[in-house]
């Protein structure tokens, strides 16, 4: 092999993303586990297959957005799609994720940051975003130019060997800002990075078009990584590092699992560490959370184990689709019943605000915080009236106000919303080559009981997780087998 063929040119921007994703050195076995495409299940064409542990941090969020497209376009999950139709749904899902990432990076303020102003082709625009009670920190490049999108695709092998970039339209040509990195090709990961080409686009319809044109690459060996690199480059390393704050990992260097930052980036466009509502101040340290009601949601068994707090914005998304986290894996739960995601009632908003002043989840606040809660909820909060309420809600002068008493006083007879019974579906895409597992959606009949079950069960982790959103839920699975979220 000639010296020219042994050396490959790596784009400096790709090199930068490679470093933040993998660290200084890539472990070959981890890279191999992440080297897969977006594969459709033979039994359930709209279900994506995960061939090994690790890439669920990308595959599960993409699956959630793909299901959102299915529910939006057809409102059924019956397996009557052909592969071309699923290609279209997949590319719409990928386009929406990139749009969220770009919008969260380049906006001038929070409201603009959270608004997806450009409609995705062949898809209606998302509903307008309402103003948050508490603003979230924006990145330092908030006054940057209008949103830009980055796409990364593999060059054809023959073009790579000649170091000839793939022809792209003028509108997508990437500027050369630094000399590219020359690297000797010695491994599969070196070969992958040396074959990547970077495109820059300004319009979301061009993004969608290019994804459709390259859908076979996305379904090929490195499809997941090509999309992940596109997300990270669209976000920008500087913006991502600022959002990640004290966390400096996207992929665990030992086990290969995606971090919460990576999961949040794919789900919300913001690569933050926490899943509570809004940013929180802890002794002058800003802990960044989720600052809007999301398109699809997130639930985790770790909340029931009190390792984290999932806020209302992720628990109550706009579509009844939730990524579900265990200690080691991500799956998806969803429903066709849009009543599960009706707009927030005044009482639900009150509970959410009350809990924001009760970070430990004790269902009470310090009495001195009552005025702040009332003002946040736009209740009458004259100091004299607040004092009267303190005495009424804390008659024994314990210095605390219980959630139940607060709700009975200010939001009595709050009507229950949503159905008492509904159908849930669960997706777990993990299917190792050695197993004969068939990837298809598992159907369950859910019922909300009169009293909370409240049991943490290692044998029924999915129910334990669902109870973080519906405390009184019970589910009977149609085939009699409880699905695994591991």
């Amino acid at each position: 092999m000639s010296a020219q063929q042994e050396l490959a040119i790596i784009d400096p921007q790709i090199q930068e993303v490679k470093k933040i994703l993998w660290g200084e050195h890539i472990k070959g076995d981890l890279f191999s586990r992440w080297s897969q495409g977006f594969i459709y299940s033979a039994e359930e064409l709209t279900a994506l297959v995960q061939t090994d542990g690790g890439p669920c941090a990308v595959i599960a969020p993409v699956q959630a957005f793909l299901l959102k497209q299915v529910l939006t376009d057809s409102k059924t999950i019956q397996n009557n799609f052909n592969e071309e139709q699923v290609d279209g749904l997949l590319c719409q899902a990928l386009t929406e994720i990139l749009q969220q990432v770009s919008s969260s990076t380049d906006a001038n303020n929070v409201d603009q940051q959270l608004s997806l102003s450009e409609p995705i082709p062949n898809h209606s625009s998302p509903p307008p975003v309402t103003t948050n009670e508490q603003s979230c920190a924006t990145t330092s490049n908030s006054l940057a130019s209008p949103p830009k999108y980055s796409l990364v695709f593999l060059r054809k092998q023959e073009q790579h060997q000649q170091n000839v970039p793939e022809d792209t339209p003028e509108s997508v040509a990437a500027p050369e800002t630094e000399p590219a990195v020359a690297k000797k090709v010695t491994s599969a990961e070196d070969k992958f990075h040396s074959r990547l080409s970077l495109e820059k686009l300004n319009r979301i319809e061009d993004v969608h078009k290019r994804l459709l044109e390259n859908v076979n690459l996305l379904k090929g060996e490195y499809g997941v990584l090509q999309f992940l690199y596109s997300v990270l480059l669209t976000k920008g390393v500087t913006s991502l590092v600022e959002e990640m704050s004290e966390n400096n990992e996207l992929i665990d260097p030992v086990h290969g699992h995606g971090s919460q930052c990576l999961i949040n980036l794919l789900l919300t466009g913001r690569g933050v560490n926490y899943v509570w509502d809004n940013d929180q101040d802890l002794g002058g340290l800003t802990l960044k959370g989720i600052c809007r009601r999301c398109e699809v949601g997130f639930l985790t068994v770790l909340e029931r184990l009190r390792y984290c707090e999932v806020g209302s914005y992720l628990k109550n998304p706009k579509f009844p689709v939730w990524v579900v986290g265990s200690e080691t894996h991500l799956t998806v739960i969803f429903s066709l019943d849009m009543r599960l995601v009706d707009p927030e009632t005044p009482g639900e908003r009150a509970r959410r605000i009350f809990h924001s002043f009760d970070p430990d989840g004790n269902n009470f606040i310090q009495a001195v915080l009552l005025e702040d809660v009332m003002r946040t909820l736009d209740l009458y909060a004259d100091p004299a009236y607040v004092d009267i309420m303190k005495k009424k809600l804390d008659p024994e002068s314990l210095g605390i106000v219980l959630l139940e008493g607060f709700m009975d006083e200010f939001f009595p007879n709050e009507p229950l919303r949503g159905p008492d019974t509904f159908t849930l579906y669960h997706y777990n895409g993990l299917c190792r080559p050695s197993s004969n597992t068939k990837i298809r959606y598992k159907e369950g009949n859910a019922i909300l009981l009169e009293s909370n079950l409240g049991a943490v069960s290692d044998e029924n982790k999915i129910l334990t997780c669902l109870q973080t959103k519906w405390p009184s839920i019970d589910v009977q699975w149609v085939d009699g087998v409880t699905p695994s979220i591991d």
Side-chain angles (χ1 to χ4, degrees), residues 280-297:
Q280 297 189 15
D281 183 88
L282 183 64
L285 176 65
T286 300
L287 304 179
K288 298 177 181 178
I290 309 302
C291 52
R292 67 174 174 102
R293 188 183 182 204
C294 303
E295 298 295 311
V296 297

Side-chain angles (χ1 to χ4, degrees), residues 80-258:
N80 55 1
F81 298 96
N82 60 43
E83 187 168 356
E84 183 179 3
Q85 289 172 320
V86 180
D87 286 348
L89 294 170
L90 173 66
C91 290
Q92 282 186 326
L94 301 181
T95 301
E96 182 169 4
I97 292 173
L98 286 166
Q99 188 180 33
Q100 279 198 143
V101 169
S102 180
S103 298
S104 71
T105 300
D106 291 317
N108 292 335
N109 57 48
V110 174
D111 288 339
Q112 289 177 329
Q113 173 182 345
L114 304 174
S115 174
L116 307 184
S117 57
E118 298 176 85
I120 297 173
N122 301 321
H123 192 73
S124 58
S125 301
V129 177
T130 57
T131 303
N132 297 326
E133 291 82 17
Q134 189 176 342
S135 65
C136 290
T138 56
T139 56
S140 65
N141 67 339
S142 60
L143 298 179
S145 57
K148 295 289 192 297
Y149 305 95
S150 296
L151 292 180
V152 173
F153 296 117
L154 285 172
R155 288 193 295 266
K156 294 179 181 178
Q157 186 64 33
E158 60 271 17
Q159 293 174 323
H160 159 66
Q161 290 176 345
Q162 301 173 20
N163 281 328
V164 178
E166 186 177 8
D167 292 336
T168 57
E170 290 184 9
S171 62
V172 300
E176 296 183 7
T177 56
E178 300 179 39
V181 178
K183 184 174 178 62
K184 188 174 182 179
V185 176
T186 59
S187 61
E189 53 266 30
D190 290 341
K191 180 179 179 181
F192 167 74
H193 288 98
S194 68
R195 289 181 58 199
L196 293 179
S197 63
L198 173 62
E199 302 178 9
K200 295 283 188 179
L201 302 96
N202 287 315
R203 302 190 309 161
I204 195 65
E205 53 263 40
D206 293 332
V207 172
H208 185 254
K209 178 182 177 183
R210 290 295 288 159
L211 289 172
L212 281 172
E213 290 171 348
N214 290 277
V215 70
N216 287 332
L217 285 175
L218 295 171
K219 295 192 293 184
E221 182 181 5
Y222 298 110
V224 168
L225 287 176
Q226 289 174 81
F227 176 66
L228 177 55
Y229 278 54
S230 299
V231 168
L232 298 180
L233 284 162
T234 295
K235 183 69 182 181
V237 170
T238 300
S239 298
L240 182 57
V241 168
E242 290 179 1
E243 289 180 353
M244 290 171 64
S245 186
E246 69 273 15
N247 189 326
N248 58 2
E249 287 183 356
L250 290 175
I251 295 179
D252 184 289
V254 177
H255 303 289
H257 304 307

Side-chain angles (χ1 to χ4, degrees), residues 312-355:
S312 175
Y313 293 142
L314 281 169
K315 282 184 179 173
N316 301 291
K318 297 176 184 177
F319 287 81
V321 182
W322 294 266
V323 171
V324 173
S326 71
E327 297 91 337
T328 60
H329 188 43
L330 296 173
T331 60
V332 178
I333 198 88
F334 65 100
S335 177
L336 306 180
D337 195 332
M338 291 298 292
R339 293 177 298 169
L340 295 174
V341 290
D342 283 340
E344 195 176 44
T345 67
E348 288 170 332
R349 177 173 177 265
R351 288 178 182 273
R352 173 167 59 81
I353 297 301
F354 191 98
H355 284 305

Side-chain angles (χ1 to χ4, degrees), residues 412-432:
N413 304 317
E414 175 71 13
L416 296 176
R417 72 175 177 93
D420 293 328
T421 60
F422 48 93
T423 301
L424 283 177
Y425 298 90
H426 180 255
Y427 152 88
N428 187 342
L430 188 56
C431 180
R432 291 184 174 88

